[in-house]
Amino acid sequence: MAAPLSADRQLTALREEGAKVSERSGWRTNNRNHKGPWGPVHGVMIHHTVSSGDDSSVALCYNGHSALPGPLCHGVGRNDGTIALVSSARANHAGSGDGDVLRAVINETALPTPNAANTDGNRHFYGLEIVNLGDNRDTYTRAQYRAAVLWAAALCRAHGWSERSVVGHLEWQPGKIDPRGPIEGGGSFSMTQFRADVRDQLARQPGSPAPSKPAPITPPKETEDTMTSAQEALLKKIAGDVETLKAAAKVDGWGYRNAALVAEAKATGAPPPPDMHGRIEELQANNTKILAILDELTAAVAALKKS
């Protein structure tokens, strides 16, 4: 059972972690505690705002709108990497989600796929809304992403949680898609990668400089396919064998005659009969030749594959 952090303790944890923080006037008392309990808390949840513009998004998350009163989260991730604090207690961000997911977060085990909306998430999760349209085209800045990692790590460290207490809204409630979208510098928002980055941050001393960005992987330069002289010679041999094979497979009309039978026909004055024996000999000879050529083709293809 984890009691929620006070407003002061949240602010201290974020600053000690190295997050750049701004405080919206009234954030300490802006909450939905009159609509339901706040705590025990078990994790942190990541969202995108489905909006653009830092100032207007912060105002939206503080005040809410006609369909959903504010606050809509605890912190707002601005494009410059600042976390704007808009609430310190219960907020309308998680909604109802899957109780099995909550149990996995509490136990810090693998998350199941959400398939129910039977548990109050606003009671149990801190929420961060990152300013982004969520259309899978709007790009998160590197500063935004880094600030989100620091925000999540700060709260996890303060509670003694691991990165397994971090979830995305899409992992909590069926039908949700946030967070999603490309990240400046490459890649798309992935909760698996985000948790790995939070884990790396928790392994560091709070307030440590951000890890250096790894050098981008340069793909191998595409080159035009070329053949060696040996490969070209093998291909020419294969082409020649194919032509020979075509010629050997050709069956002419009944033009072949056994010499003895022809001589006998001439002596008797009878017309030359079809020479079935001679034709069989001819076909057998052709078949032997075809088989020999096929053996050569098989060997040539094998040699070409090895070269």
Side-chain angles (χ1 to χ4, degrees):
M1 301 288 286
L5 300 176
S6 67
D8 285 341
R9 186 69 187 90
Q10 290 180 45
L11 184 60
T12 299
L14 291 170
R15 287 176 171 166
E16 287 180 348
E17 199 67 40
K20 184 168 62 173
V21 179
S22 66
E23 299 177 73
R24 171 86 177 195
S25 178
W27 77 276
R28 295 168 181 269
T29 56
N30 185 36
N31 58 62
R32 301 289 296 169
N33 290 6
H34 59 291
K35 291 295 183 180
W38 170 230
V41 288
H42 300 298
V44 300
M45 188 174 294
I46 309 298
H47 310 257
H48 58 233
T49 60
V50 196
S51 64
S52 61
D54 287 334
D55 291 342
S56 59
S57 295
V58 171
L60 172 66
C61 289
Y62 184 91
N63 296 311
H65 49 79
S66 58
L68 189 65
L72 304 183
C73 58
H74 298 90
V76 182
R78 298 172 63 101
N79 281 276
D80 66 355
T82 300
I83 300 295
L85 299 179
V86 296
S87 177
S88 66
R90 183 182 174 95
N92 278 335
H93 71 98
S96 295
D98 196 320
D100 291 337
V101 174
L102 180 61
R103 281 184 283 276
V105 171
I106 293 172
N107 296 324
E108 296 199 323
T109 55
L111 297 176
T113 300
N115 55 23
N118 54 19
T119 303
D120 178 13
N122 296 331
R123 174 180 183 175
H124 299 298
F125 290 97
Y126 300 96
L128 176 71
E129 290 276 3
I130 308 175
V131 178
N132 189 277
L133 290 173
D135 58 2
N136 226 18
R137 294 188 296 272
D138 192 16
T139 300
Y140 298 91
T141 68
R142 292 301 306 178
Q144 270 183 310
Y145 184 85
R146 176 61 181 163
V149 170
L150 292 175
W151 177 86
L155 296 176
C156 286
R157 195 188 300 275
H159 282 288
W161 300 332
S162 78
E163 79 283 354
R164 287 183 173 270
S165 289
V166 180
V167 298
H169 199 194
L170 78 171
E171 297 173 309
W172 166 246
Q173 188 179 98
K176 295 299 182 180
I177 61 172
D178 54 322
R180 72 169 184 173
I183 299 172
E184 180 185 14
S188 295
F189 211 115
S190 158
M191 285 308 302
T192 299
Q193 182 59 54
F194 186 81
R195 277 187 284 271
D197 292 335
V198 171
R199 181 188 64 231
D200 291 345
Q201 177 62 29
L202 289 172
R204 303 163 62 85
Q205 289 296 321
S208 300
S212 58
K213 185 179 178 181
I217 300 174
T218 303
K221 184 179 179 181
E222 295 185 1
T223 56
E224 185 179 352
D225 290 337
T226 57
M227 290 190 297
T228 65
S229 57
Q231 290 173 325
E232 290 179 348
L234 283 170
L235 283 177
K236 287 181 180 179
K237 175 175 175 49
I238 291 173
D241 285 343
V242 168
E243 292 303 317
T244 304
L245 184 61
K246 289 179 181 178
K250 184 178 180 182
V251 177
D252 295 328
W254 292 94
Y256 182 92
R257 297 289 184 270
N258 181 278
L261 292 176
V262 171
E264 182 180 346
K266 286 182 179 180
T268 62
D275 185 2
M276 298 298 293
H277 179 73
R279 174 49 60 94
I280 290 172
E281 287 182 341
E282 180 186 19
L283 292 177
Q284 286 177 335
N286 283 357
N287 186 59
T288 301
K289 190 174 183 180
I290 289 171
L291 290 175
I293 295 172
L294 287 174
D295 287 341
E296 292 182 6
L297 280 172
T298 301
V301 171
L304 188 60
K305 289 180 177 179
K306 291 181 180 180
S307 62

